[in-house]
Amino acid sequence: SSAAVSSARPATIVLVDEMDLLLTKSQAVLYNLFEWPTRPGSGLAVIGVANTMDLPDRLLPRIASRLGGRRLPFAPYTAPQLRAILETRLAGAGAAAAFDPRAVLFAARKVAGAAGDVRRALELCRLAADVAAEEGGEAGKAAPSSALVVTMAHVDAAARAMHGASHVQLLAGCAPLDLVCLVSLAVEA
């Protein structure tokens, strides 16, 4: 028994995040990715993560037949979960005192109602801090203030700017392959 364990080849696990971005008309990349584990002695396991629940349904039959068929769905974050994450991240960055607790809750609720994506919640808080800093800079010329506080109004202004920003609209109109190229360029930069 111990000889069998020691001579066994360790498995290699490939974790593919954002797998839905690999969907193309031919789906050749996905076919190859899921075909490798079926080869004798490959010792390869593929775990795919996608933001779309219907990804297996959108795959060609020749690829879907290679899937293990097990799904582990993750629900979007709720407002209380987002609030806890935001509070923890703000405290870790030493910025908790700069945010009105109602503003953090407002940001969490805004994002939970739209997508539940923690990255959006963090981006919203960053934009709200920028709005507050700009506002504080203008007000600071007339009456200097030592403490910057991000309020619900700042979060609301940031949310409106985030959804109406030209770069967001441009990215929303991109094809999945274009997004993959842009992400690759950003990672390289």
Side-chain angles (χ1 to χ4, degrees), residues 45 125 145:
C125 287
S145 173

Side-chain angles (χ1 to χ4, degrees), residues 54-133:
D54 67 337
L55 179 67
D57 302 329
R58 293 171 38 199
L59 294 174
L60 295 173
R62 66 188 177 123
I63 300 168
S65 67
R66 286 166 165 54
L67 295 180
R70 293 184 298 211
R71 296 184 200 182
L72 182 59
F74 290 93
Y77 286 109
T78 63
Q81 291 170 327
L82 286 171
R83 180 184 189 182
I85 293 168
L86 290 174
E87 288 172 344
T88 302
R89 292 291 296 269
L90 289 170
F99 278 78
D100 180 336
R102 293 172 296 184
V104 175
L105 178 59
F106 184 58
R109 286 181 176 165
K110 275 257 196 231
V111 173
D117 186 348
V118 72
R119 295 170 293 189
R120 276 206 176 149
L122 292 167
E123 177 69 8
L124 181 58
C125 287
R126 187 190 66 76
L127 288 173
D130 289 347
V131 169

Side-chain angles (χ1 to χ4, degrees), residues 11 18 33 38-39 42 46 56 60 69 74 91 113 118 121 125 132 140 161 164 175 188:
E18 305 289 347
L33 188 64
T38 64
R39 292 183 180 175
S42 77
V46 177
L60 295 173
F74 290 93
V118 72
C125 287
E188 281 298 313

